[in-house]
Amino acid sequence: MRTFPWVRPLKGAAVTALAVLACHTVLTAGFAAARAEAKADPQSAWAGTGVWLATFAVGLVLAMPVLLWAGMRLLREKDNHLLVVGGSLAWFFVAGRHVDALEYGVGRHVPGPLIAGVIAVGALLSWGRLADRLVSEAPASEALVPAGPASAGVEGTGSGAAR
């Protein structure tokens, strides 16, 4: 069954939006837990550091590529490499830039226009196997074989048989 070419970007936008929502929730809940742990033990300089590091690793680095890949595979789309890598990098730079606001403020969020930008990037990167269009249309076997009389020999004859 073949899908229309405009459906894939819609799927990419929906999956990216859900992944951003999940990662944003992980970040805000994890940083809130780290703040609560640090507030409960103000004498310890390391209170909340383990929770903060786990939240940072999961919310910014690990969850986004897994959610993008799994979401697109659940929607039966293949060749999502560009979406997974590009969407993860976009989220890392957008949320990483505003991690201080999430870390130190209760109820703070990444700005809406930046979240919309990440969703738009996800839609664009999932559009019609863009990665396939970026590489040349010639097959790799034609690009590696030089044209000319040297390539006109007999193939598959073994060693020394083509004299």
Side-chain angles (χ1 to χ4, degrees):
M1 181 174 167
R2 183 160 176 174
T3 60
F4 295 107
W6 51 269
V7 173
R8 189 174 165 96
L10 292 177
K11 289 179 181 180
V15 167
T16 305
L18 290 175
V20 164
L21 176 67
C23 289
H24 196 281
T25 303
V26 165
L27 286 175
T28 55
F31 289 148
R35 281 192 302 273
E37 189 176 316
K39 190 175 183 179
D41 189 13
Q43 300 298 327
S44 174
W46 294 97
T49 304
V51 175
W52 187 92
L53 285 174
T55 299
F56 186 83
V58 171
L60 280 179
V61 179
L62 299 175
M64 183 57 81
V66 171
L67 289 173
L68 289 174
W69 175 79
M72 290 301 278
R73 290 300 295 151
L74 283 174
L75 295 175
R76 299 176 189 247
E77 293 291 342
K78 296 180 181 179
D79 299 328
N80 302 309
H81 305 65
L82 198 59
L83 171 65
V84 170
V85 172
S88 299
L89 285 175
W91 174 249
F92 180 77
F93 286 118
V94 166
R97 173 107 168 98
H98 294 282
V99 77
D100 289 338
L102 296 173
E103 178 184 1
Y104 297 117
V106 178
R108 307 279 307 267
H109 302 286
V110 174
L114 291 178
I115 290 177
V118 171
I119 294 170
V121 165
L124 288 174
L125 292 177
S126 64
W127 183 8
R129 294 184 178 92
L130 186 61
D132 292 340
R133 293 180 185 174
L134 293 177
V135 294
S136 76
E137 297 295 334
S141 61
E142 291 179 12
L144 296 177
V145 177
S151 64
V154 179
E155 293 181 12
T157 57
S159 62
R163 289 186 190 211

